[in-house]
């Protein structure tokens, strides 16, 4: 079952455009210091997650398999969607880690830790980046999938997600929401390694992820 769902959710073209996206991002998004990599990557990877995961269920509709899929027990349908989401999120996280390394390879950013201007080592920064990206990718991926299921259209799911993305990934969002911003990691004070107020925003994302996960079965049951 896992192999089948992997093939359905990860066609070659999706892997190709996702990898190209990460390569291009690491080439054109200029940075000077290594602690700027996470800031440069979070919001763009959220966009990629939205596009990447929006068709998790709607591909059943576009491929005209939805009528057959409805005949399956709800438990099997939910397991199918869960496996697809998990596989896609793992791929997105791997691409994030690869992209992080590409910034080092392509742009050779300076290390504030080596210069004695930061107490946060390169490895610590990567671990924090990884933790933040797990939450970010899960949130934006499941959001676009949930909206696509609700409206039975992946483009509506992506479009609605982008509206929220534009609001939160802005100066207005930063000023109004502060540490509770969905992009709190990107908006954090990168020069203060002891400031963990941004965890509030990630905790909010986690809570919303759980709520959306609980809502998904009801939406799939109602919308088919």
């Amino acid at each position: 079952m896992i192999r089948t769902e992997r093939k359905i959710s990860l066609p070659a073209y999706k892997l190709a455009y996702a990898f190209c996206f990460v390569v291009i991002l690491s080439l054109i998004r200029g940075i000077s210091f290594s602690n700027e990599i996470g800031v440069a990557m979070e919001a763009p990877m959220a966009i990629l997650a939205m596009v990447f995961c929006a068709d998790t269920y709607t591909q059943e509709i576009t491929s005209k398999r939805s009528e057959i899929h409805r005949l399956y027990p709800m438990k099997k349908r939910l397991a199918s969607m869960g496996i697809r989401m998990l596989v896609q999120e793992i791929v997105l996280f791997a691409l994030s880690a690869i992209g992080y390394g590409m910034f080092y390879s392509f742009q050779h950013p300076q290390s504030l830790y080596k210069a004695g201007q930061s107490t946060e080592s390169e490895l610590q920064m990567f671990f924090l980046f990884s933790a933040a990206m797990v939450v970010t990718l899960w949130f934006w991926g499941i959001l676009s999938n949930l909206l696509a299921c609700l409206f039975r259209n992946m483009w509506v799911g992506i479009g609605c997600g982008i509206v929220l993305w534009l609001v939160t990934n802005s100066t207005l969002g930063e000023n109004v929401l502060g540490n509770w911003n969905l992009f709190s990691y990107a908006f954090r004070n990168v020069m203060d390694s002891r400031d963990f107020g941004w965890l509030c925003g990630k905790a909010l994302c986690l809570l919303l992820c759980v709520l959306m996960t609980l809502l998904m079965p009801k939406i799939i049951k109602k919308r088919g």
Side-chain angles (χ1 to χ4, degrees):
M1 182 178 179
I2 295 178
R3 180 176 296 181
T4 301
E5 300 300 346
R6 178 179 59 80
K7 289 181 179 179
I8 293 174
S9 60
L10 293 177
Y13 77 90
K14 286 182 71 172
L15 294 173
Y17 78 65
F19 182 74
C20 290
F21 179 90
V22 172
V23 173
I24 293 172
L25 176 65
S26 61
L27 285 170
I28 68 173
R29 180 61 164 85
I31 60 170
S32 298
F33 301 98
S34 56
N35 60 357
E36 297 173 351
I37 298 178
V39 176
M41 290 191 68
E42 185 180 26
M45 289 304 296
I47 287 283
L48 179 60
M50 278 192 284
V51 176
F52 202 78
C53 298
D55 68 342
T56 303
Y57 182 72
T58 57
Q59 58 186 293
E60 297 292 335
I61 299 172
T62 57
S63 62
K64 304 186 185 302
R65 296 192 303 261
S66 60
E67 294 300 323
I68 297 175
H69 204 257
R70 287 182 183 181
L71 300 177
Y72 295 157
M74 181 56 66
K75 185 176 181 180
K76 183 175 181 179
R77 295 170 66 186
L78 294 176
S80 173
M81 293 301 103
I83 291 172
R84 293 182 192 181
M85 282 297 300
L86 179 61
V87 168
Q88 290 177 124
E89 293 288 354
I90 290 173
V91 169
L92 287 168
F93 178 77
L95 287 171
S96 297
I98 292 171
Y100 196 95
M102 286 181 178
F103 270 93
Y104 277 100
S105 299
F106 295 149
Q107 302 198 35
H108 306 291
Q110 299 179 49
S111 171
L112 292 179
Y113 178 76
K114 292 182 179 179
Q117 299 180 36
S118 174
T119 59
E120 196 173 44
S121 69
E122 303 299 311
L123 188 58
Q124 288 175 318
M125 283 192 294
F126 178 71
F127 283 148
L128 287 177
F129 165 81
S130 299
M133 287 307 299
V134 167
V135 179
T136 296
L137 295 172
W138 183 19
F139 175 82
W140 294 99
I142 195 172
L143 175 67
S144 67
N145 183 40
L146 182 143
L147 292 171
C149 288
L150 182 62
F151 294 101
R152 293 177 63 84
N153 188 302
M154 66 170 286
W155 298 111
V156 175
I158 294 172
C160 292
I162 287 177
V163 172
L164 179 62
W165 185 92
L166 290 171
V167 172
T168 53
N169 185 41
S170 66
T171 302
L172 176 64
E174 180 184 10
N175 293 336
V176 173
L177 299 174
N179 285 332
W180 293 98
N181 194 310
L182 300 177
F183 291 108
S184 58
Y185 173 76
F187 286 124
R188 76 194 192 284
N189 182 2
V190 296
M191 299 303 294
D192 185 1
S193 60
R194 296 170 297 179
D195 179 15
F196 288 98
W198 59 271
L199 290 175
C200 294
K202 291 302 145 191
L204 177 60
C205 282
L206 277 175
L207 176 61
L208 293 173
C209 285
V210 172
L211 291 176
M212 286 188 286
T213 300
L214 294 174
L215 279 173
M216 189 66 72
K218 297 181 180 180
I219 292 177
I220 292 178
K221 184 177 181 179
K222 185 174 181 178
R223 300 295 290 164

